[in-house]
Amino acid sequence: MAAAPDVIRFPEVARPDVTVVMLTYNRWDLTKEALRLLAEVTEPRYEVVIVDNASTDGTRDELDSVTGARILRNPRNLGFGPANNQGAAMARGRYLLLLNSDAWVRPGWLQPLLDVVEADAGVAAVAPKLLYPDGRLQEAGSILWRDARVRQYGDGDVPNRPEYNFARTVDYASAACLLVRRSAFISVGGFDPRFAPVYYEDVDLCLALGAGPGRVVYQPRSVVEHVRGASSSGAVQTTRIERNRRLVRARWRDLLDRRPPESWRIEPSGIAAGRDAMTCERILVLTGARPAAAGTPEQRRLHATLLDGARRWPEARWTVASLDGEPVPRPDELGDAGIEAVTGAASWDTWLAGRRYHYGIVATADSRWTEGSLREIVAATQPQTERIPVPNGVDLGAVANKLGRPNPGI
């Protein structure tokens, strides 16, 4: 007999790689959609643990229509962190996938997250690109300022812009959807209950992971929609956020003292500085020919050298800006390597002004960047840089010397 239309059925997996932990509290309409999409578009290598935090709108009873998941019903609302800790304690998977009940996954969302943690043992957690339901960008990782205030990078912007389409290490990414190594989660004690009932516990978790088990990474090839704040009240929200911000600031004072001041957020160049605050150096490669796997020998050399540079110095920020307007081929390869690829900006004056004083090294691989108005724009916006002319492609030996590193022997 076919299942009733309103039944949500999850697969029975004997040895799941991933445990999806979902906390529910009212808003069954959003929760039902989140569970339905999770079941419909996710490959069967996961299990589901649902913790209901004493919902009062019928959600507790509606969860009876969910099969194949383990469900814990709390008699009272324990708050976000403690309830997620309960779900994590029930997990069998190597990875925990913290997923909000108002987060809607898209086809192909899980594998890019797993690709990151399975390729690099130094990664403790990885987060997707979050979109609003109307398609606007909600978060491409987040920026933490010195006073522990948070900025969701790219909030409200067009999601496919180059600055949001490459993987990078972040201070913090929202636990609306966050894949965490179970061992790393346990090693830092999970969510700190001092932040209950809600807010900033995921900031604290990410900082604890970064200070111990491993980095937190943003992976734009995974895309998830998030309603955000569906069950919060504005007045209470402001009070709790401020209380918990002060708690994070006190706990992580030494780390946050090395972050840019929150006042920098008012300038585009300040946002870029906040995004790249954790990098050891910022390298801008100016080229005319787009990085390509096919084409002239110079194009192939540039593409290969960019990938090699990012592999050798992943702690640096690599940006390639091309005068060509064509889309960059194989963007996932560059993006996964942490390379920001910008092609054919409408106004290079505006783009470079948004990165004023940002780059420590400018490598010029096309003579047009050293002539006329383009030369003046680069000189005016990046007067502090070391300039390396590399007409035949980027010489990583020269870049390494500027970084004060041993010559890689290229």
Side-chain angles (χ1 to χ4, degrees), residues 8 14 43 52 58 76 99 109 111 133 141 147 169 212 217 240 249 255 267-268 278 286 317 321 338 359 362 403-404:
I8 299 171
E43 55 271 31
D52 184 76
R76 62 185 180 88
L99 186 67
W109 71 283
Q111 190 59 51
D147 63 0
T169 298
V217 171
R240 289 174 180 169
R249 170 61 193 163
L255 183 150
E267 294 291 338
M278 300 168 66
L286 299 173
R317 170 67 64 242
Y359 293 99
V362 173
L403 286 170

Side-chain angles (χ1 to χ4, degrees), residues 312-313 395-398 400-401 404-410:
R312 291 172 182 264
W313 303 293
D395 180 354
L396 275 183
N401 289 337
R405 295 176 175 272
N407 191 307
I410 294 179

Side-chain angles (χ1 to χ4, degrees), residues 232-294:
S232 299
S233 107
V236 176
Q237 176 183 7
T238 301
T239 301
R240 289 174 180 169
I241 287 175
E242 182 59 21
R243 167 190 174 271
N244 289 352
R245 180 193 67 81
R246 292 196 299 266
L247 183 57
V248 166
R249 170 61 193 163
R251 180 175 182 181
W252 298 101
R253 180 181 303 275
D254 290 345
L255 183 150
L256 291 172
D257 279 347
R258 300 193 296 273
R259 294 297 180 263
E262 192 266 349
S263 59
W264 285 23
R265 67 181 175 81
I266 63 176
E267 294 291 338
S269 57
I271 299 299
R275 184 196 73 178
D276 294 344
M278 300 168 66
T279 60
C280 71
E281 185 56 280
R282 301 156 191 170
I283 305 164
L284 175 61
V285 181
L286 299 173
T287 179
R290 58 193 172 102

